[in-house]
Amino acid sequence: DVQLVESGGGSVQPGGSLRLSCAVSGYPHGSACMGWFRQAPLKEPEGVASIADDMTIYADSVRGRFAISRDKAKYTVHLVMNTLKPEDTGMYYCAADQRCAAIVQTTTPRHWGQGTQVTVS
């Protein structure tokens, strides 16, 4: 079974930073696109960032503030979030798919985790 387990969420003040991590198992990590999407209460899911073969894609709303990386040897994906804003508040989900568009554009990845809450206030 594919499992994606997120960690690192929490509550911070505006301008603060958080680092999210995602442990992946049961998935061909090396060939997949990995990424993050988020969902705020009463809002549609929003793609945040993705990474595949060291190529990254960011949503306009986070570009320059967030950085995604992956450690293929450890089967983990990280999202460093700096200069956080209240509008970054939401549940953040780690996701995996063969296509990055499924994560950052349509937010319909084949696999995703349970999510980790990020609150900026």
Side-chain angles (χ1 to χ4, degrees), residues 23-42:
V24 184
S25 62
Y27 197 75
H29 189 262
S31 63
C33 182
M34 304 295 300
W36 298 83
F37 68 94
R38 65 188 181 186
Q39 187 167 22
L42 304 179

Side-chain angles (χ1 to χ4, degrees), residues 33-118:
C33 182
M34 304 295 300
W36 298 83
F37 68 94
R38 65 188 181 186
Q39 187 167 22
L42 304 179
K43 292 189 177 180
E44 293 294 319
E46 175 190 21
V48 174
S50 68
I51 183 167
D53 296 326
D54 295 326
M55 293 182 64
T56 57
I57 301 173
Y58 293 97
D60 290 343
S61 59
V62 307
R63 188 175 294 111
R65 300 187 296 122
F66 291 11
I68 188 171
S69 62
R70 71 194 297 177
D71 184 335
K72 291 184 179 181
K74 296 182 178 180
Y75 297 95
T76 56
V77 180
H78 304 285
L79 184 70
V80 175
M81 306 185 294
N82 296 316
T83 319
L84 283 161
K85 304 176 181 179
E87 52 263 44
D88 293 318
T89 294
M91 187 69 79
Y92 282 68
Y93 298 90
C94 178
D97 198 281
Q98 291 300 314
R99 300 181 307 113
C100 290
I103 298 173
V104 295
Q105 293 183 10
T106 63
T107 60
T108 54
R110 184 168 184 176
H111 304 284
W112 64 93
Q114 294 296 311
T116 186
Q117 178 68 36
V118 172

